[in-house]
Amino acid sequence: MEKRFKGIPLGPPKRRRAGLLDEWRGLALVCMLVYHTCYDLYAMFGVPLPLYSSPAYVLLQRFIGYSFILISGIACSYSRSNLKRGVVTFGLAMVMTGVTALVMPDQLILFGVLHFLGVSMMLAALLMPVLEKIPLWPGVIGSLFLFVCTFPVYSGRIGIGALTLELPGVLFQGNLLFPLGFHNAEFFSSDYYPLLPWFFLFLTGVFWGRSWRGGRMPEFVYRTHIPALAAMGRHTILVYLVHQPVIYGLMTLLFQVI
């Protein structure tokens, strides 16, 4: 609860850890393990999987991506230094880029979700003095609106319905702006989350995080319901970094035995 003296708040509200947030992150990790196991079986070992081309697989992919981005944005409200967190995350992402370039160049990751999250954390840290002046719900709604408007950037346009603007073709002639979402047909990254449109979804989490941190969410949000899932969610980076080598190694061993 927020400390008060004669009705006047004394400092910011206490940051309450949200057990459900850890469990949500853990569930996204479990889904990611399923997703990448299916991907490795299909793309690297040639196992025919009807699930791989099904709508359910696409929904699974979107749930994972949306969850990680929103949760990371929410976590900005809990972090003591988003700048430091962003630098460390981006550094680990660059290690992943180097590993894929050396070991699996056909699966090179140039700007995957980890790169995106690292850059977004750093941007959020720099923009926080401005973001803190924007009220919570206008920030959430405005960020979601901008996310929807910029989502078609993949197809060279932005906007909604009839209010659509074609982007200049020069933006898509080279690859220097690929972190922003602008690139030509030759660009490739096996995992790709550019700043447009995803940074606006991240900002949605940043604004929404005020409710989580300040204890304004329903009480069940702050309880832990599945301890194993919550524990997994508290070690997201570690699981993310090691899961693909482990899955690929186990699959290689399995198929050698078979």
Side-chain angles (χ1 to χ4, degrees), residues 6-17:
K6 295 182 179 181
I8 302 174
L10 297 179
K14 182 180 179 181
R15 299 182 180 186
R16 299 186 63 189
R17 187 172 189 93

Side-chain angles (χ1 to χ4, degrees), residues 104-141:
M104 296 185 296
D106 57 331
Q107 298 294 320
L108 178 65
I109 300 176
L110 287 177
F111 205 81
V113 67
L114 213 58
H115 299 77
F116 163 77
L117 292 177
V119 172
S120 295
M121 292 171 198
M122 289 186 277
L123 288 176
L126 296 175
L127 294 174
M128 199 59 73
V130 176
L131 298 177
E132 287 178 344
K133 297 178 181 179
I134 302 174
L136 189 157
W137 289 113
V140 168
I141 295 170

Side-chain angles (χ1 to χ4, degrees), residues 78-181:
Y78 289 87
S79 176
R80 291 184 174 86
S81 177
N82 287 304
L83 184 60
K84 179 181 178 180
R85 192 164 64 105
V87 170
V88 171
T89 302
F90 187 76
L92 292 173
M94 292 306 296
V95 170
M96 184 175 294
T97 295
V99 171
T100 55
L102 292 173
V103 180
M104 296 185 296
D106 57 331
Q107 298 294 320
L108 178 65
I109 300 176
L110 287 177
F111 205 81
V113 67
L114 213 58
H115 299 77
F116 163 77
L117 292 177
V119 172
S120 295
M121 292 171 198
M122 289 186 277
L123 288 176
L126 296 175
L127 294 174
M128 199 59 73
V130 176
L131 298 177
E132 287 178 344
K133 297 178 181 179
I134 302 174
L136 189 157
W137 289 113
V140 168
I141 295 170
S143 297
L144 276 176
F145 177 74
L146 290 173
F147 173 65
V148 173
C149 286
T150 55
F151 195 83
V153 71
Y154 294 107
S155 56
R157 55 191 176 85
I158 57 173
I160 302 176
L163 301 176
T164 300
L165 175 67
E166 294 291 332
L167 294 171
V170 67
L171 293 174
F172 301 92
Q173 291 180 359
N175 290 321
L176 292 178
L177 299 178
F178 73 86
L180 295 176

